[in-house]
Amino acid sequence: MPRNTTTKAASKRSSGTAQKSDETMLKELFLDELKDIYWAEKHLTKALPKMSKASTSQELSNAFQNHLTQTEGHIGRIEQVFELLDTPARAKKCDAMEGLVKEAQSLLEELPKGTMVRDAGLIIAAQKVEHYEIAAYGSLVQLAKTMGENEVADILAQTLDEEKQTDQLLTELAVSGINLGAEEEPEE
Ligand SMILES: [Fe+2]
Ligand SMILES: [Fe+2]
């Protein structure tokens, strides 16, 4: 019967001696997500120079270059957070970021060099990356607040803002001409 099942499950939960508190589990979840984004940011420092080099327009190339500098700052902030939480800074492979970067690479293989279509493709790939980061940092900021770690929340909120600004800049670059240029290009 459903009622019995619930009671059994509840007593099983409370009887475990090595039972972790919700607080501990929340901190573990937070650290796990922090390790994920730490890996992702480090991975991006290798991808962004390639994206900058692959860009056709100088504006897009500069945007990637500037975001590389910001990304190095994001890594520094994550290390600051690890320190505040008395935990060694460790990265944990982020399959999602690995996949997003792979997608960007295959786009570059498909799209001809020196075209605005290539830039349009790069912007799409980069915005997917930014949206992943926005989701990750948005969640981390919320979790930190729930944990009462307001300093940590403030530090990560700065990065969240920069990711949002970058996403916005990429939209502006697309709207301001790259997509239009791509449409006007003669088909092969
Ligand atoms: Fe970042
Ligand atoms: Fe980013």
Side-chain angles (χ1 to χ4, degrees):
M1 281 169 84
R3 184 174 278 183
N4 276 347
T5 317
T6 312
T7 316
K8 260 185 200 168
S11 71
K12 202 177 175 188
R13 268 203 305 275
S14 59
S15 66
T17 43
Q19 202 65 54
K20 289 175 186 169
S21 68
D22 281 359
E23 210 179 317
T24 309
M25 286 193 290
L26 201 63
K27 190 175 175 185
E28 279 177 3
L29 174 66
F30 178 90
L31 287 173
D32 232 49
E33 293 296 324
L34 194 67
K35 287 172 187 171
D36 173 283
I37 196 72
Y38 190 40
W39 190 96
E41 294 280 25
K42 285 182 160 194
H43 193 57
L44 279 172
T45 59
K46 290 176 239 159
L48 284 165
K50 291 178 195 162
M51 291 168 88
S52 173
K53 228 174 154 181
S55 304
T56 302
S57 75
Q58 194 57 49
E59 273 172 301
L60 185 60
S61 178
N62 292 346
F64 285 135
Q65 204 55 48
N66 291 340
H67 199 51
L68 172 63
T69 310
Q70 281 184 325
T71 299
E72 281 155 2
H74 299 171
I75 291 172
R77 286 196 192 116
I78 293 172
E79 287 167 352
Q80 218 181 318
V81 168
F82 274 119
E83 217 175 295
L84 277 168
L85 297 174
D86 281 321
T87 308
R90 274 204 203 109
K92 187 178 157 197
K93 191 178 169 198
C94 170
D95 292 329
M97 191 55 77
E98 186 187 46
L100 288 170
V101 168
K102 268 189 193 158
E103 276 193 13
Q105 278 162 351
S106 41
L107 260 180
L108 287 178
E109 281 161 26
E110 284 163 25
L111 299 171
K113 283 182 186 164
T115 62
M116 294 311 262
V117 178
R118 194 171 164 92
D119 276 11
L122 275 170
I123 290 178
I124 293 171
Q127 285 195 291
K128 286 181 181 174
V129 166
E130 291 316 305
H131 281 241
Y132 181 83
E133 290 185 295
I134 290 167
Y137 283 110
S139 307
L140 283 169
V141 168
Q142 274 315 312
L143 271 180
K145 283 182 187 165
T146 307
M147 288 156 56
E149 295 285 354
N150 293 330
E151 196 182 347
V152 167
D154 287 346
I155 292 169
L156 296 175
Q158 290 172 44
T159 300
L160 177 61
D161 272 348
E162 288 177 4
E163 308 293 14
K164 285 181 182 171
Q165 283 165 21
T166 301
D167 179 51
Q168 187 61 39
L169 174 68
L170 289 166
T171 299
E172 280 161 22
L173 284 176
V175 170
S176 77
I178 286 172
N179 280 354
L180 192 69
E183 206 183 25
E184 283 167 357
E185 264 164 11
E187 279 182 43
E188 290 196 4

